[in-house]
Amino acid sequence: MSTRSRSAHPVVGITEVARHAGVSPGTVSNVLNRPERVAEATRLRVEAAIAELDYVRNSSGSSLRSGRSASVGLLVLDVTNPFFTEVARGVEDEAAASGLAVVLLNSAEARERQRRNVRLLAEQRAAGAVVMPVDDDLSDLLWLSRQGTSWVALDRGDVAEDVGCSVSVDNHAGGMAAGRHLIGLGHESVTFLTGPFAIEQVRRRHEGLRAAFEESGMDPDTAVRVIEQPLLNPAQGERAVDTILAGGPRQRPRAVFCANDQLALGVMKGLGQRGLRVPDDMSVVGYDNVDLADLVHPGLTTVAQPKYELGRAAMRLLDSELNGAGHVHERVLFTPELVVRGSTAAYRS
Amino acid sequence: MSTRSRSAHPVVGITEVARHAGVSPGTVSNVLNRPERVAEATRLRVEAAIAELDYVRNSSGSSLRSGRSASVGLLVLDVTNPFFTEVARGVEDEAAASGLAVVLLNSAEARERQRRNVRLLAEQRAAGAVVMPVDDDLSDLLWLSRQGTSWVALDRGDVAEDVGCSVSVDNHAGGMAAGRHLIGLGHESVTFLTGPFAIEQVRRRHEGLRAAFEESGMDPDTAVRVIEQPLLNPAQGERAVDTILAGGPRQRPRAVFCANDQLALGVMKGLGQRGLRVPDDMSVVGYDNVDLADLVHPGLTTVAQPKYELGRAAMRLLDSELNGAGHVHERVLFTPELVVRGSTAAYRS
DNA sequence: GAAGGTTATTGACACGTTTCAATCCGGGTG
DNA sequence: CACCCGGATTGAAACGTGTCAATAACCTTC
């Protein structure tokens, strides 16, 4: 209250500008939204009035009238994960280019929060959303569509094309690349350290890994051992080391493939604490190619995803859905790339 | 277009709900906003209608009418920096508790983008904002106040209290803690690797560092050498290593204090590549205590900031400013804490 | 110079909500 | 029984914008 009354000018609207420029409100609106329809001379006059009165458009008014707001939601699983922040940058850059504001919402990997956030987007009549769904249940998103807010699924290649757009990276190919790399180094078995299999991405990475062993004539059932953790963070990776090493030094695996760089970094730390050396005693492969994968020593061999590009592509797709007259849902698939650093080495008995 | 027409119900408003419940629109509004003012029986009837029609409130309407929207902006310097994402979590959690939506905006450390984003907040008639200003020029923020959007400055203890609230961490104390730690280990000189001195935080850390040497009877002018880099990221740290080592092995410094963990991690990598060992050949101290400070080997000794709490406190302050009748600007100052890990060791000649 | 055509501008209404003075109703009081 | 009081509800008036049919102004052409 005190803040408002302290303000210099008591809030000026389009009508005030119109009066000041000797023109009708409709014309001012046109200057703002379709400048080409208004004559040069009047346009300049209006712009002068806008500048002089320090007019700032009220987006509530326009979204109310037009039924949609000029902002898009970005629903991420975890704001803390560097993977998402990189994606966010891509989305933001592209959105800024289209004049859209980005509302960042964090589901914190929890259904309930996702539902709340989706509802919020509906209340804001958001133009669209880029969403990383928290699990396989897409009902929240279908509801959102019915409310008139379209969306693009991120990193979920499994959404049907009649339901919505999606942008993702080929997780099967990524898992396979990691597997082939290790096999090429002479490894004949690997431990796959992962988050919950409820997450589609990790399932696909696992399948890719198995496929790599299969194509080399090995039996994936015996070659690939799986350790499932509830979350994909460093602490979980560190904790999992004991499980990895259980069975004693004789049966100790010589290679770990982690579903995530965060897990992998945790594992490397845990191994170090127990006196094991990477890559001499154990090869470690991660997934994502987070910035710090290059900062640890040894550098982490990992499957790189085009994070920034992923965000850009998603936003571009959304934009085309918003403007395009005859839009059909599309599925964009990026291919990941293996980045070899120091954390993997040839198998030695 | 196509998307909209596909929707099941053609958008239902408060009036439709009112009709369906046999009540006036005003009453529905009351059920939504001040349920205590409406009789139990009618309230239930209205709630039933809301559920049956799957009504979802249109926030454009309410912000238009009330003049303010129920969202707050979070203006960060760099979405990519883990320090900010941690802060963002704090802000988000606290905002959710107050029923406020958070709009995340990224200035990318650029004046122009900050200005654009501030303007966006004004257009949205945002209730408030939590801001990390890009530099010392606060004119954008003053303008924002004039537009009726109040804000809290984050990590900028130098904003005057008659201008706005601020939440920050005592950078002088942080720099001092780092200095004392190194001095305690027998170091008699240190290289301070930093970003631009235009940033208030790094200036204060520098002063704190010097103060530590001064209190031990050493001359800060000779004990503290400064290397200034344009940005605070790992790549810059890595690049700076050559400058640090210039002068040959004889004059090589034995301790580096970095204004930022990102820089420090870059330095550690650079040192490793040149065959120098941390902490034996060089002690390294960082600032922030980012998650990965604990993941690298050796662990990074660093000055920890209560990031999450910082975000929470800022949002709480903002909230009190929004609701509080007689609000006076406040300045909250947290104290940082040194976390000792393996990257620092006693001086040996 | 009149008819027709093009371009620029206008005016009024609608969007969904909140607010507030006015009204209604039921019950207690004098 | 008249009166009043309090709580519950109503109705209408904004809030600032976009839209669109209608009008005005101007230019071209015969």
Side-chain angles (χ1 to χ4, degrees):
Chain A
M1 310 301 125
S2 64
T3 320
R4 186 101 61 89
S5 64
R6 200 189 304 141
S7 82
H9 37 234
V11 178
V12 23
I14 213 182
T15 41
E16 178 79 9
V17 172
R19 191 174 322 142
H20 199 265
V23 102
S24 91
T27 301
V28 177
S29 173
N30 280 334
V31 170
L32 260 34
N33 303 312
R34 299 104 113 200
E36 71 280 2
R37 290 205 190 168
V38 41
E40 172 97 0
T42 49
R43 205 197 67 218
L44 292 173
R45 201 144 33 95
V46 171
E47 282 170 349
I50 287 179
E52 183 168 353
L53 297 179
D54 195 13
Y55 161 79
V56 11
R57 148 210 231 109
N58 185 334
S59 51
S60 311
S62 55
S63 348
L64 174 58
R65 171 64 227 229
S66 65
R68 286 288 113 190
S69 85
S71 54
V72 299
L74 172 57
L75 213 51
V76 305
L77 287 175
D78 174 13
V79 257
T80 294
N81 187 323
F83 172 73
F84 301 128
T85 63
E86 207 50 43
V87 171
R89 253 190 58 228
V91 170
E92 242 228 348
D93 284 357
E94 198 67 27
S98 311
L100 293 166
V102 177
V103 183
L104 180 80
L105 301 165
N106 182 18
S107 330
E109 318 217 0
R111 266 222 75 86
E112 206 32 59
R113 280 188 75 158
Q114 169 173 304
R115 165 156 274 136
R116 263 219 324 263
N117 287 331
V118 164
R119 184 160 192 95
L120 195 68
L121 288 177
E123 291 186 353
Q124 308 214 126
R125 302 292 190 269
V130 174
V131 183
M132 321 196 53
V134 81
D135 57 27
D136 285 341
D137 181 0
L138 298 180
S139 57
D140 288 345
L141 293 184
L142 296 179
W143 178 83
L144 191 59
S145 297
R146 254 173 290 142
Q147 300 298 322
T149 296
S150 35
W151 44 266
V152 173
L154 208 63
D155 216 17
R156 285 304 289 274
D158 58 335
V159 301
E161 285 189 13
D162 54 340
V163 168
C165 289
S166 71
V167 178
S168 48
V169 184
D170 190 337
N171 287 295
H172 190 275
M176 201 146 167
R180 282 175 173 161
H181 171 63
L182 290 172
I183 292 168
L185 288 171
H187 291 275
E188 294 181 342
S189 70
V190 63
T191 295
F192 181 53
L193 178 62
T194 177
F197 266 88
I199 302 175
E200 189 240 0
Q201 291 93 311
V202 311
R203 278 201 309 271
R204 301 280 301 154
R205 290 171 197 176
H206 178 225
E207 287 164 16
L209 178 65
R210 289 172 54 98
F213 279 90
E214 207 149 19
E215 86 179 346
S216 296
M218 303 184 238
D219 176 13
D221 286 337
T222 65
V224 177
R225 174 185 170 209
V226 174
I227 299 180
E228 194 175 337
Q229 296 288 109
L231 290 173
L232 291 156
N233 62 31
Q236 295 287 337
E238 200 175 333
R239 198 167 309 155
V241 170
D242 285 326
T243 315
I244 294 172
L245 300 179
R250 297 261 299 285
Q251 307 183 24
R252 166 183 5 120
R254 311 300 293 271
V256 188
F257 173 37
C258 302
N260 182 320
D261 280 349
Q262 310 268 311
L263 279 178
L265 293 170
V267 166
M268 285 176 67
K269 183 187 177 196
L271 290 172
Q273 283 174 338
R274 286 164 187 78
L276 292 176
R277 301 180 56 98
V278 175
D280 307 307
D281 299 321
M282 181 93 73
S283 287
V284 178
V285 180
Y287 208 108
D288 282 353
N289 193 26
V290 156
D291 273 352
L292 23 151
D294 190 40
L295 290 174
V296 292
H297 185 81
L300 179 62
T301 295
T302 187
V303 180
Q305 311 208 63
K307 302 175 278 290
Y308 178 77
E309 283 306 326
L310 212 57
R312 295 227 321 164
M315 189 59 223
R316 242 188 328 245
L317 221 52
L318 184 57
D319 203 45
S320 98
E321 177 156 0
L322 296 180
N323 300 328
H327 170 87
V328 285
H329 292 319
E330 210 172 318
R331 198 184 293 190
V332 174
L333 192 64
F334 284 89
T335 303
E337 203 171 322
L338 184 77
V339 177
V340 179
R341 296 203 181 89
S343 68
T344 46
Y347 177 85
R348 290 182 310 176
S349 55
Chain B
M1 309 295 123
S2 64
T3 320
R4 187 100 61 89
S5 63
R6 202 190 302 141
S7 82
H9 37 232
V11 179
V12 19
I14 214 183
T15 41
E16 178 80 8
V17 172
R19 193 174 319 142
H20 198 266
V23 101
S24 90
T27 302
V28 177
S29 172
N30 281 333
V31 170
L32 261 32
N33 303 312
R34 299 104 112 198
E36 71 281 1
R37 288 205 192 169
V38 43
E40 171 98 0
T42 48
R43 205 196 66 218
L44 292 174
R45 203 146 31 98
V46 170
E47 282 170 350
I50 287 179
E52 183 168 353
L53 297 179
D54 195 13
Y55 162 78
V56 9
R57 151 211 231 107
N58 184 333
S59 51
S60 310
S62 56
S63 7
L64 173 57
R65 171 63 226 226
S66 65
R68 287 286 112 190
S69 85
S71 53
V72 298
L74 172 57
L75 213 52
V76 304
L77 286 174
D78 174 12
V79 258
T80 294
N81 187 322
F83 172 73
F84 301 129
T85 63
E86 210 47 46
V87 171
R89 255 189 58 227
V91 170
E92 243 227 349
D93 284 357
E94 198 66 29
S98 311
L100 293 167
V102 177
V103 184
L104 180 80
L105 301 165
N106 182 19
S107 335
E109 319 216 0
R111 265 223 75 90
E112 206 32 61
R113 280 188 74 159
Q114 167 172 305
R115 165 156 272 138
R116 264 218 325 262
N117 288 331
V118 164
R119 184 160 193 95
L120 196 66
L121 288 177
E123 291 185 353
Q124 309 214 122
R125 302 294 191 268
V130 174
V131 183
M132 319 194 55
V134 81
D135 57 27
D136 284 342
D137 182 359
L138 298 181
S139 57
D140 288 345
L141 293 183
L142 296 179
W143 179 82
L144 191 58
S145 297
R146 253 174 291 146
Q147 299 298 322
T149 296
S150 34
W151 45 267
V152 172
L154 208 62
D155 216 17
R156 285 302 289 274
D158 58 333
V159 299
E161 286 189 13
D162 55 338
V163 167
C165 288
S166 72
V167 178
S168 49
V169 184
D170 189 337
N171 287 295
H172 190 274
M176 200 146 168
R180 282 174 174 164
H181 171 64
L182 290 172
I183 292 167
L185 288 170
H187 290 275
E188 294 181 341
S189 71
V190 62
T191 296
F192 180 54
L193 179 61
T194 177
F197 266 89
I199 302 175
E200 188 241 0
Q201 290 95 312
V202 311
R203 278 201 308 270
R204 300 282 299 156
R205 290 171 198 176
H206 179 226
E207 287 165 15
L209 177 66
R210 288 172 54 98
F213 278 91
E214 207 148 20
E215 86 181 344
S216 296
M218 302 186 238
D219 176 12
D221 286 338
T222 65
V224 178
R225 175 186 171 208
V226 174
I227 300 180
E228 194 175 337
Q229 297 288 108
L231 290 173
L232 291 157
N233 61 31
Q236 295 288 338
E238 201 175 331
R239 197 166 312 155
V241 170
D242 284 328
T243 315
I244 294 172
L245 299 179
R250 296 263 298 285
Q251 309 182 23
R252 158 174 24 111
R254 311 298 293 269
V256 187
F257 173 37
C258 302
N260 178 316
D261 281 350
Q262 310 268 312
L263 279 177
L265 293 169
V267 167
M268 284 176 69
K269 183 186 176 195
L271 290 173
Q273 284 174 339
R274 286 163 187 77
L276 292 177
R277 302 180 56 98
V278 175
D280 307 308
D281 299 322
M282 180 96 71
S283 287
V284 178
V285 180
Y287 208 108
D288 282 353
N289 193 26
V290 156
D291 273 352
L292 23 152
D294 190 39
L295 289 174
V296 293
H297 185 82
L300 179 63
T301 294
T302 187
V303 180
Q305 312 208 60
K307 303 176 277 292
Y308 178 79
E309 283 307 326
L310 210 59
R312 296 227 320 164
M315 190 57 223
R316 240 186 332 243
L317 220 53
L318 184 56
D319 203 45
S320 98
E321 176 156 1
L322 296 180
N323 301 326
H327 170 87
V328 285
H329 293 317
E330 211 171 316
R331 198 184 293 191
V332 175
L333 192 65
F334 284 89
T335 303
E337 202 170 322
L338 184 77
V339 177
V340 178
R341 296 203 181 87
S343 69
T344 46
Y347 177 85
R348 289 181 311 178
S349 54

